[in-house]
Amino acid sequence: MRAFYRSTMLCLMVVALAGCFGPKTVREFADKNKLHYGVSVQAADVLDPAAIALITENFNILVPENTMKWGIIRPNRTFWNWSDMDNMVAFAKKNKMIMKGHTFVWHQQNAPFVNALKTREDAIAVLEEQISVVMTRYKGKIAEYDVANEVLEEDGSMRKTIWLKTIGDDYLDIAFKAARKADPKAKLILNDFNNENMGNPKADAFYELVKSLMQRNVPIDGVGFQMHLMGMYPVQEEDVRANVARFRELGLTVSFSEIDVRVKLPMTPEREEEQIAAYTKLMEIVQTEPNVDSFIMWGYTDKMSWIPQVFPGFGFAHLYDWDVKPKPVYEAIKKMIVEP
Ligand code: G3I
């Protein structure tokens, strides 16, 4: 009887200890399951106690939504605006989060002096300087970067950006090589939208572009599928998985890098179900495809969403509502992380 009592007590203690030390928050479950589960944040998010609590309890990877873009971090050629980015990087380090950088080569949110570049030499000098200065400052602190973003048009041709116009066809080679040189350990990513479904002209052109970069020994480690989706169109699972597989064959990871699922207003129970189905399908793919390494969302609350401004008549795209309260889609994703 005594032995029975002792072993029962021992079992209870083991269970209690496991309860004390085991994961409790969504973020701890994500850590345990080696899931990179993240979100883009605004500069103020890492200063506001309520946002800080929400972020640290949920996510283990952070991306600056706007803070690292040229127009903000370097509004003119000689002035560097470091404070917000420094804060964010320090916040990630303090909370043992992975920090992702976003982005060097893009056609939006450039500083006026970038859009005014004229010659190939000058454009290369400015681009290489940007990459080298930022990546050296955050060496060992920012683990991965969207080196380039949205370089393709919808028909699969190269987007006519300031970089293409001034530097020419090899601007991606130059950017990725500068990035590797500045921080050889950082993971280098080419990111885009509407590139997730194999068979879509842009997705196929994106794949061919990446393959050609690799054939020329341009250092690239992964690709990003942004995944700004609409709830009314179900995730094309087969096409996404087939696309992921061809990048796996190239030895590259895929990051679902800017997930949100917008809904046509007004929200209805049916539309909410469609949204939940899209979010959970993406999570299922991340959890089952070995080279899909990140589930990163573009913002966490409808209150601060980029969507209504860009897509009038659409909204409700994120996990938290206007009052920053978790929605049913939050609970659905949480369940998949806690009980994978
Ligand atoms: O900072 C100014 C502020 O001073 C001014 O008063 C205000 C007036 O409109 O504008 C503020 O700038 C806004 C900026 O976000 C910061 O909030 C810009 O107008 C606004 O256009 C800008 O939008 C961002 C957008 O990129 C720019 O195209 C969104 O927040 C950001 O979520 C979005 O992110 C992109 C990714 O980088 C790449 N993939 C697509 C994604 C969604 O468009």
Side-chain angles (χ1 to χ4, degrees), residues 65-66 69 102 106 108-109 149-150 226 258 298 306:
E65 183 171 347
N66 291 301
K69 294 169 180 171
H102 173 90
W106 198 28
Q108 288 184 34
Q109 279 173 299
N149 189 38
E150 304 174 5
Q226 293 182 4
E258 302 186 13
W298 208 244
W306 65 280

Side-chain angles (χ1 to χ4, degrees), residues 220-261:
I220 173 167
D221 305 308
V223 296
F225 298 172
Q226 293 182 4
M227 298 290 193
H228 296 294
L229 304 182
M230 274 192 262
M232 62 175 90
Y233 302 123
V235 172
Q236 295 178 36
E237 181 175 2
E238 263 183 42
D239 297 334
V240 175
R241 286 189 189 273
N243 203 10
V244 161
R246 64 180 170 176
F247 284 105
R248 182 166 62 240
E249 279 155 26
L250 291 181
L252 297 181
T253 60
V254 177
S255 164
F256 290 178
S257 56
E258 302 186 13
I259 300 168
D260 45 48
V261 182

Side-chain angles (χ1 to χ4, degrees), residues 111-338:
F113 81 93
V114 172
N115 292 328
L117 287 165
K118 291 278 175 301
T119 67
R120 172 175 163 90
E121 290 65 36
D122 205 24
I124 292 175
V126 163
L127 180 60
E128 286 184 337
E129 184 184 33
Q130 180 82 0
I131 292 171
S132 157
V133 169
V134 172
M135 291 185 72
T136 303
R137 186 179 184 92
Y138 298 126
K139 206 173 199 166
K141 295 179 179 158
I142 296 188
E144 55 185 73
Y145 286 86
D146 288 330
V147 175
N149 189 38
E150 304 174 5
V151 301
L152 293 181
E153 304 279 5
E154 288 308 286
D155 65 1
S157 62
M158 292 301 287
R159 194 186 286 278
K160 313 292 175 288
T161 65
I162 188 71
W163 305 115
L164 185 69
K165 283 186 215 151
T166 51
I167 299 179
D169 287 338
D170 58 346
Y171 77 87
L172 284 176
D173 306 41
I174 289 166
F176 277 87
K177 283 178 184 166
R180 181 66 95 227
K181 191 168 160 215
D183 182 356
K185 292 204 180 119
K187 178 171 176 179
L188 308 182
I189 296 171
L190 180 67
N191 195 43
D192 215 320
F193 63 91
N194 283 350
N195 59 344
E196 67 271 21
N197 296 322
M198 188 156 118
N200 165 298
K202 183 172 176 184
D204 290 349
F206 182 82
Y207 170 74
E208 291 303 328
L209 171 65
V210 170
K211 213 164 68 167
S212 73
L213 290 173
M214 294 183 78
Q215 278 159 359
R216 298 202 296 279
N217 292 320
V218 175
I220 173 167
D221 305 308
V223 296
F225 298 172
Q226 293 182 4
M227 298 290 193
H228 296 294
L229 304 182
M230 274 192 262
M232 62 175 90
Y233 302 123
V235 172
Q236 295 178 36
E237 181 175 2
E238 263 183 42
D239 297 334
V240 175
R241 286 189 189 273
N243 203 10
V244 161
R246 64 180 170 176
F247 284 105
R248 182 166 62 240
E249 279 155 26
L250 291 181
L252 297 181
T253 60
V254 177
S255 164
F256 290 178
S257 56
E258 302 186 13
I259 300 168
D260 45 48
V261 182
R262 60 186 182 273
V263 172
K264 194 167 164 43
L265 306 180
M267 184 62 137
T268 63
E270 292 72 28
R271 289 173 181 169
E272 187 154 37
E273 280 312 313
E274 289 170 349
Q275 181 190 52
I276 293 173
Y279 264 104
T280 52
K281 182 54 76 184
L282 293 184
M283 180 57 87
E284 194 184 309
I285 296 173
V286 172
Q287 288 178 327
T288 50
E289 293 289 344
N291 63 320
V292 182
D293 66 347
S294 306
F295 186 105
I296 301 173
M297 289 167 289
W298 208 244
Y300 58 88
T301 165
D302 296 335
K303 186 180 174 183
M304 296 187 295
S305 179
W306 65 280
I307 286 177
Q309 206 187 5
V310 179
F311 298 105
F314 285 82
F316 291 103
H318 309 280
L319 295 193
Y320 289 78
D321 67 14
W322 266 82
D323 299 319
V324 202
K325 296 275 175 291
K327 300 196 283 198
V329 63
Y330 172 91
E331 300 300 339
I333 289 292
K334 175 178 172 183
K335 189 164 186 290
M336 293 180 81
I337 295 174
V338 172

